[in-house]
Amino acid sequence: LAPPETPDMSPPKDYEKHNLYSNAALSSLDQEQLLQAIQRMLNSSRLKLVSHAKGGQCMMYVSEEKARQEIEKFGGLSNNEILVYQKIEESGVKGLFQRDLKSRTGISNPTTIRTIMEKLMKRKLIKDFTSVHTGKKKMYILAGLEPSKELTGGNWYTNGELDMELVDACKRLALLFFEKREQSERLKGQTDRGVSVVEVGEYIKCAGVVSCDLTMEEVLQLVNILMYDGLIESLLADSTMLKPGERIFRLVKQSSVSFEHFTSLPTSTCDRANAGFPVQPALCPFLDYWLRL
């Protein structure tokens, strides 16, 4: 029996010998009476069957108080319903698809599994969620847990879909913060020393736009978008060894001359190419002028 305070403890080296029929401490007991006693303890929730990492099942002792809570929680559920709950519980924050329960529980009838799932959800023992990797296919997890961010996409996603309104609102706030910091430093006659990702996150949080706490990785995703748009720049040539919150960025000084990249090239949209001007870039006076800007 695994102690209740350490249910995941490592098994002894001779784990295979620790069973009801070979345990020396139980050898003197009548096997039939032993099984009856164990069954009574299982029925009263004083023992709990759990799957072991090395295969098979082992029993875990349950305290009287915990057993009372278990009875209140699972009272009226059938063995199959408790089995489905236990398999979802074993999945932790990764969750399970409904189809996975067929192989893990041995219940082959999908209608039976669906009925059990509906009952467990109605009793608020489990809940469903959608993963960003599997579209709208529902997964199931214990009601008291939150699925891993690898599955939900984190705070930028709602019901498995990217919340563009939230992303855009936070991106505008982040850019505004960079602009305010640059203006403040300029008025003081100082060089913009930039701001950290932590500071950007605190500014967004104080603005009250998001009801959740963004992680530093999520704030860095915002900042990277601004950097890829050419609006801000990193102050460190190599910041990969730093934690996300420690990275420093500042506003990019915008040029007074506006360019439209490739379409601003004289030879790409030249309206004089057929009016006696050379079409070769090497001979074009307008291209020379453009390159000197």
Side-chain angles (χ1 to χ4, degrees), residues 33 35 47 49 122 146 190 199 210 225 231 248 264 272 275:
Q33 291 181 347
L35 292 175
L47 283 180
L49 285 174
K122 188 175 181 180
E146 291 299 328
Q190 300 176 351
E199 292 176 292
V210 292
I225 293 175
L231 299 172
I248 307 294
S264 68
R272 301 189 182 187

Side-chain angles (χ1 to χ4, degrees), residues 206-258:
C206 292
V209 173
V210 292
S211 56
C212 54
D213 291 331
L214 298 176
T215 66
M216 287 301 100
E217 288 78 8
E218 289 168 336
V219 178
L220 181 60
Q221 289 173 345
L222 276 181
V223 173
N224 281 335
I225 293 175
L226 297 176
M227 185 175 67
Y228 298 146
D229 288 342
L231 299 172
I232 63 173
E233 61 184 355
S234 175
L235 291 186
L236 298 174
D238 183 11
S239 58
T240 56
M241 300 301 293
L242 295 176
K243 295 179 180 179
E246 297 173 346
R247 301 185 185 185
I248 307 294
F249 297 82
R250 70 179 177 189
L251 197 70
V252 170
K253 294 182 179 179
Q254 300 297 322
S255 173
S256 58
V257 180
S258 176

